């Protein structure tokens, strides 16, 4: 892409990993960059004066005062994704994957399929390297994991192949409404040559998939939701020219992603499963459904995201033998479970919940950490929560 769009002076708002990557990418191209961050105490709407572009990190909501000031002055507001896209060399095939859940699994499985076919493939976005950090070195196929935050502020960005894994209410505290969240997610298909979406979703011209689709091989990952992820990845791989032999090889060998129905260990016949990435109720329900014949002990709770827990409570099946509540949402979860007539224990934190579940679980049971909430009340992120769970389980005797 031509570099005519490069600004003379840019403002980077939010200095997390993506913000730092955006600043470095712009400065390396001769752009004068000012960077502000609330944690540094220098976030001020006046900072937009004299800038030609605002690039914001994914944690910065649309309601931010600096963002509002930029819009009022007519300064373009981009996510780091838009910046990275404009830095891509010509000839790169862009495959974008978004959805409420399943993004990372689908991206990595698709990457494995492309690699099995000996494609030159790069993974970026969200839980991978920021696009602006790797953009100039990408050749061949680029598979992007796209959050609603990144898609919320794009302009020229478009995919050659776009995948929507699913869509459930999430991040409502950031977007404000489900309609705004949905609109951000659906930007993935704007301008895409190939669109892939769940069966019945209603995107015009989309190739559709479902968990019961015929596949070249059965995936090794448990759960109907992971089979749906595999079906989506299969369609995307075929659209990218991958043959079914390579697809089948990846399906058989791809073991899944940490913190997503990750089997930590089996002890005394009890399986301990880390699904810390289940940060909303839809993900927790899918995790429960992944073990349709096993007695379950659930660990739920964390920091709130504005979701209603009543539908999750009402869907708790009889095979759930115990529920262990932790974190800041314990009261909300308890109220929902009381309303559904479901018993629970208030354990408060993860060590107590693991001890309690260990005392109750017997051979053939599954202890499932699938919190249905974010982690920020007690952990830096979902990965830190899952890592702590893994350590606690590994210490059991």
């Amino acid at each position: 892409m031509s570099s005519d769009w490069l600004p003379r002076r840019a403002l980077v708002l939010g200095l997390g990993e993506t913000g730092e990557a955006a600043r470095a990418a712009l400065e390396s191209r001769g752009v004068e960059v000012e960077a502000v961050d609330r944690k540094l105490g220098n976030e001020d709407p006046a900072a937009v004066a004299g800038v030609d572009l605002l690039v914001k990190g994914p944690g910065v909501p649309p309601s931010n005062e600096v963002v509002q000031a930029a819009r009022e002055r007519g300064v373009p507001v981009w996510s780091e994704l838009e910046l990275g896209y404009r830095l891509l060399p010509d000839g790169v095939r862009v495959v974008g994957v978004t959805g409420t859940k399943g993004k990372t699994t689908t991206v990595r499985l698709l990457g494995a399929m492309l690699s099995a076919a000996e494609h030159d493939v790069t993974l970026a976005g969200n839980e991978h390297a920021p696009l602006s950090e790797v953009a100039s070195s990408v050749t061949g196929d680029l598979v992007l994991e796209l959050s609603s935050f990144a898609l919320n502020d794009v302009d020229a960005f478009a995919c050659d192949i776009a995948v929507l894994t699913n869509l459930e209410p999430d991040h409502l505290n950031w977007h404000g409404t489900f309609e705004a969240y949905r609109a951000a997610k659906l930007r993935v298909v704007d301008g895409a040559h190939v669109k892939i979406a769940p069966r019945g979703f209603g995107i015009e011209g989309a190739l559709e998939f479902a968990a019961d689709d015929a596949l070249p091989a059965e995936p090794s990952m448990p759960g109907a939701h992971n089979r749906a992820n595999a079906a989506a990845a299969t369609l995307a791989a075929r659209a990218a020219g991958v043959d079914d032999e390579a697809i089948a090889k990846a399906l058989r060998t791809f073991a899944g992603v940490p913190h997503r129905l990750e089997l930590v260990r089996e002890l005394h016949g009890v399986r301990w499963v880390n699904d810390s990435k289940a940060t909303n109720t839809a993900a927790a329900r899918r995790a429960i459904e992944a073990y349709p014949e096993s007695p379950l002990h659930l660990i739920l709770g964390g920091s709130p995201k504005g979701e209603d827990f009543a539908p999750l409570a009402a869907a708790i099946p009889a095979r759930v033998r115990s529920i262990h509540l932790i974190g800041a949402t314990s009261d909300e979860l308890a109220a929902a479970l009381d309303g559904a007539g479901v018993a629970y224990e208030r354990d408060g934190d993860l060590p107590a919940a693991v001890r309690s579940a260990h005392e109750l679980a017997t051979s053939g049971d599954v202890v499932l950490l699938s919190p249905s909430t974010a982690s920020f009340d007690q952990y830096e992120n979902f990965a830190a929560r899952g890592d702590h769970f893994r350590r606690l389980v590994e210490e059991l005797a």
Side-chain angles (χ1 to χ4, degrees):
M1 180 178 288
S2 168
S3 61
D4 294 346
W5 57 268
L6 280 169
R8 179 187 59 83
R9 187 165 180 263
L11 176 66
V12 173
L13 174 60
L15 287 177
E17 183 181 11
T18 56
E20 291 287 9
R23 175 164 71 173
L26 287 166
E27 288 180 340
S28 70
R29 290 161 175 82
V31 177
E32 181 184 346
V33 179
E34 180 179 358
V36 297
D37 190 291
R38 182 164 295 177
K39 293 179 180 177
L40 299 178
N42 65 346
E43 187 179 294
D44 185 343
V48 302
V51 303
D52 310 304
L53 172 67
L54 171 63
V55 180
K56 68 185 191 67
V60 180
S63 58
N64 180 277
E65 289 183 351
V66 180
V67 174
Q68 294 299 317
R71 295 197 189 283
E72 289 170 6
R73 287 175 172 262
V75 175
V77 176
W78 293 352
S79 65
E80 181 271 341
L81 170 66
E82 176 69 21
L83 173 64
Y85 177 76
R86 290 171 179 254
L87 298 174
L88 286 172
D90 292 338
V92 173
R93 175 164 49 196
V94 178
V95 185
V97 179
T98 197
T100 305
K101 288 298 173 185
K103 296 184 293 296
T104 304
T105 298
T106 303
V107 163
R108 295 191 183 180
L109 177 55
L110 178 54
M113 291 174 176
L114 292 164
S115 294
E118 299 185 350
H119 285 221
D120 179 5
V121 58
T122 301
L123 309 184
N126 211 31
E127 293 191 27
H128 311 274
L131 180 55
S132 59
E133 180 180 306
V134 301
S136 60
S137 62
V138 175
T139 57
D141 290 334
L142 171 66
V143 184
L144 287 171
E145 181 179 344
L146 303 171
S147 70
S148 59
F149 309 144
L151 287 165
N152 198 68
D153 292 289
V154 293
D155 179 21
F157 175 79
C159 301
D160 295 288
I161 302 170
V163 180
L164 176 70
T165 58
N166 47 60
L167 193 61
E168 303 278 356
D170 199 12
H171 300 301
L172 303 187
N173 54 340
W174 195 95
H175 288 280
T177 66
F178 176 66
E179 289 71 24
Y181 171 68
R182 184 180 190 275
K185 285 292 191 186
L186 290 183
R187 288 192 178 99
V188 73
V189 301
D190 290 348
H193 301 305
V194 177
K195 305 171 186 179
I196 297 169
R199 186 176 302 155
F201 192 83
I203 294 177
E204 185 177 356
L207 303 176
E208 296 188 327
F209 67 89
D212 59 358
D213 285 354
L215 298 175
E218 282 303 306
S220 61
M221 303 175 291
H225 64 296
N226 274 327
R227 204 176 186 287
N229 294 335
T234 296
L235 285 179
R238 285 172 174 163
V242 178
D243 63 38
D244 277 5
E245 183 178 352
I247 293 171
K249 179 181 178 181
L251 288 169
R252 294 189 189 103
T253 57
F254 183 75
V257 181
H259 312 297
R260 295 154 179 83
L261 294 185
E262 172 194 3
L263 178 61
V264 175
R265 70 182 294 196
E266 184 170 331
L267 177 65
H268 309 311
V270 176
R271 286 176 288 166
W272 292 80
V273 177
N274 169 21
D275 195 42
S276 182
K277 187 59 172 71
T279 58
N280 61 25
T281 59
R285 290 177 66 173
R286 281 193 287 271
I288 293 167
E289 292 164 3
Y291 302 92
E293 299 178 2
S294 299
L296 293 174
H297 303 266
L298 301 179
I299 301 176
L300 302 176
S303 57
K305 295 173 72 177
E307 273 202 89
D308 179 6
F309 292 118
L312 171 64
I316 297 292
R319 68 180 184 281
V320 172
R321 301 290 173 82
S322 68
I323 296 177
H324 306 267
L325 303 183
I326 65 173
T329 56
S330 291
D331 288 346
E332 292 176 64
L333 280 161
L337 292 166
D338 284 339
V342 178
Y344 55 87
E345 298 184 15
R346 288 176 176 264
D347 289 315
D349 60 23
L350 202 48
V354 167
R355 288 195 300 270
S356 181
H358 184 43
E359 291 173 0
L360 294 173
T362 59
S363 181
D365 292 0
V366 172
V367 179
L368 175 63
L369 170 67
S370 193
S372 78
T373 65
S375 58
F376 305 118
D377 56 337
Q378 296 178 327
Y379 297 94
E380 181 181 359
N381 51 42
F382 75 84
R385 177 173 60 189
D387 289 342
H388 189 201
F389 177 75
R390 191 187 297 115
R391 291 194 301 273
L392 291 167
V393 172
E394 288 169 349
E395 291 168 0
L396 294 175

